[in-house]
Structures are given as structure tokens and as C-alpha cells.
Amino acid sequence: MPYNRRKFLGRSAAAGAGVALTGALPQAAQAQGQGQGPQRKRGKRVPFRVLGTTDVHGHVFNWDYFTDKEYDDAAHNDVGLAKISTLVEQARKEAGRHRTLLIDAGDIIQGTQLSYYYARVDPITAPHGPKHPMALAMNKMGYDAAALGNHEFNYGIPVLRKFQEQCDFPLLAANALDARTLKPAFPPYVVKRIKVPGHRDIRVGILGLTNPGIAVWDKAHVQGKMTFPGLVEQAKIYVPKLRSLGCDVVVCTDHSGLDGATSYGDALPYPENASSLVAEQVPGIDAILVGHTHKEVASRTVVNKETGRSVVLSEPLMWGMRLSVFDFEVEFHRGRWEVVSVKAEVRNANTAAEDPEVARLVRREHQAVVKYVNQVVGTCKTAMSAAQAPYKDTPIIDFINFVQVDTVKSALAGTKYASLPVLSQAACFSRSAAIPAGQVSLRDVAGLYVYENTLDARLMTGAQLRDYLEFSARYFVQTAPGAPVDPKKLTNADNTPDFNYDVIGGLAYDIDIAKPAGSRITNLRYQGKPLDDKAQFVLAVNNYRANGGGGFPHVAKATSVWSNSEEIRNTIIAWVKAKKVIDPAVFASVDWRLTRAGKPVF
């Protein structure tokens, strides 16, 4: 459903009229914390609570569709909205339902086979299509608002609009603008009222901010349709707007991390993880629910540079593992409410039982997906595992590259690029991915590729590929000769995630981890000979990387000779269905290795 700007502005005008009756907003109304002066007459104090989730990524149940069993990890986390719902109800009972709000910081409709199924297999956009399971669960839980995450755009704008239509709460994005008019493409904010007997309502403005990286990562879906300015820039517009509408409290829900880092290099002028910058640079914010980076931050305080006031931030991990709880206390003073204090904590979903009502609502959809992912699509002659893929050349990553090369070669047949050698880029998306010996199910294959990436083919030179590999090799911690090597501590240098460590299939090379980043690639060869820097290749690459995701050099500006709208996951599944048999002897080889001072590490 398109965003109805006329209706939104009409509501805003009505709220603004209420402000006009009471005059301009005093400076004190924007203050958070104490320190209003010892002579101040104290008024009535009222507590209320804001609960927050983020990066739920299609998890309703504590279930792993790729292993077909309950989710578990080394920390024994549980996942899913069914468990979070129980924590929400407990928190509402403690604070009072009428004094509790529930919000989300984005990345809702992508990430599990449950969410994939209702976007692609039995899509919600079909005539008389189903209701999205995330809408079913979140409506039942009584969400008040949710920010858009970047993964909301993975399936295209029509799926997102249909999901928006199915939600009983607004999807907010102050920095998602119509590319033609530069007007909001979604509601920027919502104002909620908390009733206090004998006093005016507490007005809580909730501002939603999404990630500028959408313009890079989902370029195919949004280019020419939407544009995504920075979080700080838009917050500077809308926080004063919310205050002028009489909001006593302003809470941001940001699909953007805390640390200011950016994965897309200089492709955009706006930082990817800007929540701390928003708190620091935009006056008038009391608290921020943080998302995007999949981290657990129970509470962090950032001081606003202009006002000196503290802003409290909290990030509740991911997948429904945690619930952020913000406890506010406001005081009635000179005819309005002022924030006295804000505290935040997170609560663990593994302490809660499933909410039976949420589980009941989505049980049928869950069972349909379980049946879908367990269908047998082929066989494999030898078991393959991704457990060691981040630091060893493994057959399971070779398999991805093999299918991608095969797909691109077939697509280029008969074109002027048919004679060029085709290489392929792949990364380990899940260390738990595995293909068993014997029968192979759809979920086994899908587990290799957990993202909705599509396939592109770019022209690259030998010199550019060398730079690409050097950039990728930053992933390893520099380790001196003779120092102990612990595989658990060898990877993810500078917090580089596994999905940003690429290997290139079709080349042979060593990565010398004794050397500093930027000078690690040695013995780089193609077909047994030193790589010619001037030689031209076609690189099969996913659209995330091709659009600049991860900030890898050259590839985003390289000429595209072919692209496909089909997810790579489905391309691999279709290959298995067609070939019937996966035989690692056909494609597995050790082409890259880690070395120290020229000697193999493993």
C-alpha cells in the first residue's frame, strides 16, 4: 500500500494544533536526566516503558530450518518472536499495559526459509495470497511501530508494500524518500499517547531511520525509485518536528549500528552505522533502539554535543534472542512532561516459554515450510562441511564456485565474451552449512546460501583481481612465524564478518598471514602460470558484492556482461535437481592456502 502522505500530514497538523494552544515548547521539555536546579518544584512523576526488538529476520519459532531441529548455539540462545512475546507480556504486566510501547528496529521479512517461502514460493503478493507470518505474529504481539531494515528491500518493493499493508502498525523510515519527489516514501514517525489520569497524556514521538546502504545493496530494486539520505541529516529535520508537535519524549528506532563504521567504502556519503552519531549530533532525542549489526548492547550512554544531555541506546542482539527494555521516568512540570531518567537493559529469550497464541497463529505456515525444505533434490557421493571454510580451501565452497562458473559460462555462450576465462567469488555464509553423503534435501543445499543474493558477471583484469584478493585477506589476524596458531582466533580481524572474506575459484594463491594486510597474496597463478596483470577475466559475483557491498575494490565499477534475477540459492538447487548427483571429485581442489613466511600453516 503506498504511503498516504495527505493523511499523514493531516494527522500531523491536528497534533500541531494542540501545541499551538500551549505555546512554544520550552527548552526544559527537551531535557533528559536530572539537573534542572535545586529550586525546582517537583511535580507528579510517572514511569513508562518502551520495549524493543531488532533484526528478527523471519524467526517466529525457536527453529532452524536448515538443520530441521530446534535452534541452538554455543551460548544456548533461543530465537523467535514466540518466545519474545512471552517476555513482552511479562514486561507489560510489570509496568502496566497502558504504559508500555513495543517497537522494532528492522530486518523483519528476510533471513529464514519461513520468510523466504512467503516471498517467493507462496508469495503474499499473489491474488488472494496468504498473510505474511511475521505480520501475523507482530500484529498479535501488538507492535506500535517498526523501522525498515535494509533486508526489507531484498524481495523488491511490491513484497515490502504488501507486508506494510498487512501490518497493523506503521513501518517507519524518515530517510527513505521517493526518488522523484524527495518526499517520504514511508511514514517518518508516529506519535503515541500514554494516558495519565488527572494530567495531559504523555506524548511519545517514535522516529524511524533506515540504512543508507540500501542504495548500494539493493540497487536493482530501488534505483530510480527511492533514495536514502543519512540518518543524522534526516533526524535533524524530524526530531525538531516531533518536539514542535508537542512530544514530551522522542525515541528513535535506527536500523544502523553504533560504531560509525561503513562497509561500502566511499560509495555513499553517509555512514552505515550512525546511531551514536545521531545521539551525539541531534538534540532532543531521549533514547535509541539500535539495529543492523547483530550485537548485544544492553545499555550505552552517548552525550549530545549541543545540549550536554545523555541519550540511552540499546541493541538487543538478533533473531529474537533478546528484548531491549527502556524504563523512563517523566515529571509533570509547568504544564508538560519532562524526562527525568532513562535506563535500559536486555532480557534473554532463552528464559521464556513460547507464547501459545503466537505459535498457534503461525503453526500452519511453519509446517508448510518444514515440508518444503525437507524435499529430496539429489544425492551427494561424499559429505561436505563448511566448518573449516574460513581458513581452509574446502569442497563445499568449491561447489558454490563450480555452479556459479557453470551458470555464467552457459549464459555467455555465443556472446563476444564466451572466450574469456570465468572465475568465481564465494564466501562462507554459515560455518554450520553441510551437505551429507547420500540423499540431499532442499534445506541442505539452501543452507549453503542463506542470503537472497543474485548472480552477476563482471569484467576484471588480473591486477584488479590481485587487489581484490589482498582486500579480502585483511580477514586474517597477522601472526608472526613461530607464534601459536588457534583457528578460532585467526579470522575476523578488525571485526570483518565471514561473509566479507571472499575466495576466488579458478585462481591458485597463498595468503601469508605473517605479512601485514595489503601485501599477503603470494604465488598468484592461473592455470599453473603467474597471473598476468593485464589479462582479462569474467568474475561471477553476487549482486551484494557487485553493488559495492563490503567495499571490495574495482568490482562495483567493472563492466557487467551478464546478470540474473534468480537467487543464487535457487540456482544451486536447480543445478542439483538437474544433475541429480553432487560429486566432489569433479570440482574439489586445494587452490588457496594460508602460509607464514612461505610455509603452510595447516
Side-chain angles (χ1 to χ4, degrees):
M1 179 185 293
Y3 164 51
N4 189 327
R5 186 168 176 268
R6 180 178 297 173
K7 184 184 294 185
F8 174 77
L9 292 177
R11 290 197 301 266
S12 298
V19 178
L21 294 176
T22 60
L25 184 69
Q27 179 71 23
Q30 298 188 32
Q32 183 216 341
Q34 303 187 44
Q36 300 299 319
Q39 305 304 315
R40 191 173 91 171
K41 183 179 179 180
R42 299 292 182 182
K44 180 181 179 64
R45 290 195 174 189
V46 174
F48 73 92
R49 178 170 279 180
V50 177
L51 309 175
T53 55
T54 192
D55 295 276
V56 179
H57 282 288
H59 290 84
V60 174
F61 296 95
N62 186 43
W63 194 259
D64 186 336
Y65 293 94
F66 295 128
T67 62
D68 197 31
K69 59 185 180 183
E70 282 199 351
Y71 178 85
D72 194 23
D73 60 20
H76 301 299
N77 286 302
D78 286 353
V79 302
L81 288 180
K83 290 204 164 210
I84 287 293
S85 181
T86 299
L87 293 181
V88 168
E89 287 306 304
Q90 290 172 351
R92 282 170 171 159
K93 287 178 182 177
E94 295 165 4
R97 180 174 292 272
H98 64 293
R99 290 186 182 174
T100 306
L101 301 175
L102 176 60
I103 62 178
D104 184 85
D107 276 4
I108 300 168
I109 61 171
Q110 178 277 339
T112 64
Q113 286 294 288
L114 179 69
S115 52
Y116 175 82
Y117 187 89
Y118 290 99
R120 290 286 188 260
V121 181
D122 186 10
I124 60 174
T125 50
H128 311 294
K131 200 159 189 176
H132 199 288
M134 296 303 289
L136 290 170
M138 295 177 81
N139 288 344
K140 176 63 180 176
M141 292 170 66
Y143 274 80
D144 293 285
L148 291 178
N150 53 285
H151 284 287
E152 260 66 81
F153 293 84
N154 285 173
Y155 299 117
I157 292 173
V159 170
L160 173 54
R161 288 299 190 192
K162 188 64 178 181
F163 177 69
Q164 179 187 24
E165 180 184 321
Q166 293 179 344
C167 291
D168 294 341
F169 51 91
L171 300 181
L172 308 178
N175 58 328
L177 309 181
D178 182 281
R180 184 178 59 86
T181 65
L182 298 184
K183 301 297 184 183
F186 295 87
Y189 60 82
V190 66
V191 178
K192 306 296 292 187
R193 291 174 177 262
I194 295 174
K195 294 190 178 299
V196 182
H199 288 269
R200 67 182 283 274
D201 296 347
I202 302 168
R203 298 173 186 172
V204 182
I206 303 169
L207 177 67
L209 296 164
T210 192
N211 205 289
I214 295 165
V216 171
W217 305 318
D218 273 300
K219 182 178 179 180
H221 293 310
V222 302
Q223 188 173 35
K225 299 174 183 176
M226 293 185 191
T227 186
F228 302 88
L231 285 85
V232 170
E233 290 76 5
Q234 293 302 101
K236 284 183 175 180
I237 295 171
Y238 283 103
V239 172
K241 172 76 171 176
L242 286 167
R243 290 295 185 180
S244 74
L245 291 175
C247 289
D248 308 293
V249 182
V250 172
V251 177
C252 291
T253 174
D254 294 2
H255 194 74
S256 181
L258 288 160
D259 62 8
T262 295
S263 70
Y264 39 73
D266 60 359
L268 297 172
Y270 311 111
E272 176 181 351
N273 295 307
S275 287
S276 292
L277 297 175
V278 171
E280 187 179 79
Q281 298 178 20
V282 184
I285 298 169
D286 298 295
I288 300 178
L289 176 66
V290 178
H292 184 58
T293 50
H294 294 199
K295 294 180 179 180
E296 180 177 348
V297 181
S299 181
R300 181 173 297 177
T301 300
V302 174
V303 176
N304 184 267
K305 284 185 174 180
E306 184 172 327
T307 65
R309 301 293 178 178
S310 295
V311 183
V312 177
L313 303 91
S314 181
E315 182 174 7
L317 200 54
M318 61 183 183
W319 299 359
M321 292 179 179
R322 302 289 186 272
L323 175 71
S324 283
V325 179
F326 294 90
D327 281 310
F328 293 78
E329 189 175 37
V330 294
E331 182 180 74
F332 199 71
H333 181 66
R334 294 180 179 176
R336 61 178 59 252
W337 297 101
E338 299 173 8
V339 173
V340 176
S341 67
V342 185
K343 297 178 181 178
E345 64 173 355
V346 294
R347 298 186 180 182
N348 197 326
N350 70 10
T351 66
E354 277 188 353
D355 181 329
E357 283 302 299
V358 171
R360 179 188 62 80
L361 275 175
V362 190
R363 183 68 63 188
R364 183 178 63 180
E365 289 77 8
H366 167 74
Q367 290 172 343
V369 175
V370 168
K371 181 179 179 181
Y372 164 74
V373 300
N374 278 292
Q375 61 181 290
V376 174
V377 293
T379 62
C380 187
K381 289 192 174 182
T382 308
M384 299 186 294
S385 169
Q388 297 180 324
Y391 54 89
K392 284 186 178 180
D393 190 344
T394 55
I396 204 165
I397 303 299
D398 292 341
F399 177 53
I400 297 172
N401 278 327
F402 179 75
V403 174
Q404 291 184 165
V405 167
D406 187 52
T407 302
V408 170
K409 281 184 175 180
S410 297
L412 295 181
T415 73
K416 65 179 181 178
Y417 303 106
S419 62
L420 290 178
V422 178
L423 309 176
S424 177
Q425 158 270 338
C428 177
F429 291 151
S430 171
R431 298 192 187 201
S432 62
I435 301 289
Q439 287 191 335
V440 175
S441 67
L442 186 147
R443 65 178 171 82
D444 295 323
V445 182
L448 299 182
Y449 223 102
V450 298
Y451 297 108
E452 274 61 54
N453 294 338
T454 58
L455 193 57
D456 203 329
R458 298 286 171 116
L459 288 179
M460 301 277 282
T461 66
Q464 290 174 330
L465 291 167
R466 187 187 304 273
D467 290 345
Y468 191 102
L469 288 171
E470 286 286 7
F471 185 89
S472 184
R474 301 175 312 151
Y475 171 76
F476 296 102
V477 175
Q478 188 173 1
T479 309
V485 174
D486 181 354
K488 294 179 181 178
K489 300 178 180 180
L490 186 61
T491 62
N492 307 104
D494 297 324
N495 295 315
T496 303
D498 290 350
F499 64 75
N500 271 346
Y501 170 58
D502 286 1
V503 301
I504 294 184
L507 297 178
Y509 54 95
D510 295 340
I511 301 173
D512 195 327
I513 60 173
K515 295 183 177 182
S519 59
R520 292 178 169 176
I521 302 300
T522 62
N523 300 321
L524 181 56
R525 303 174 303 283
Y526 173 67
Q527 293 187 342
K529 297 179 181 179
L531 182 68
D532 180 356
D533 282 351
K534 295 181 180 179
Q536 198 169 48
F537 299 86
V538 174
L539 180 66
V541 60
N542 68 52
N543 69 300
Y544 173 80
R545 195 68 81 229
N547 288 336
F552 279 66
H554 307 305
V555 66
K557 295 180 180 179
T559 299
S560 176
V561 298
W562 175 83
S563 63
N564 189 12
S565 62
E566 185 66 83
E567 287 96 347
I568 294 172
R569 174 198 297 129
N570 285 345
T571 298
I572 300 172
I573 291 169
W575 187 95
V576 175
K577 285 182 174 180
K579 304 295 184 182
K580 307 295 184 186
V581 177
I582 304 170
D583 184 1
V586 173
F587 53 79
S589 61
V590 179
D591 294 318
W592 68 271
R593 62 178 183 170
L594 298 184
T595 63
R596 282 191 302 178
K599 296 182 179 179
V601 175
F602 299 109

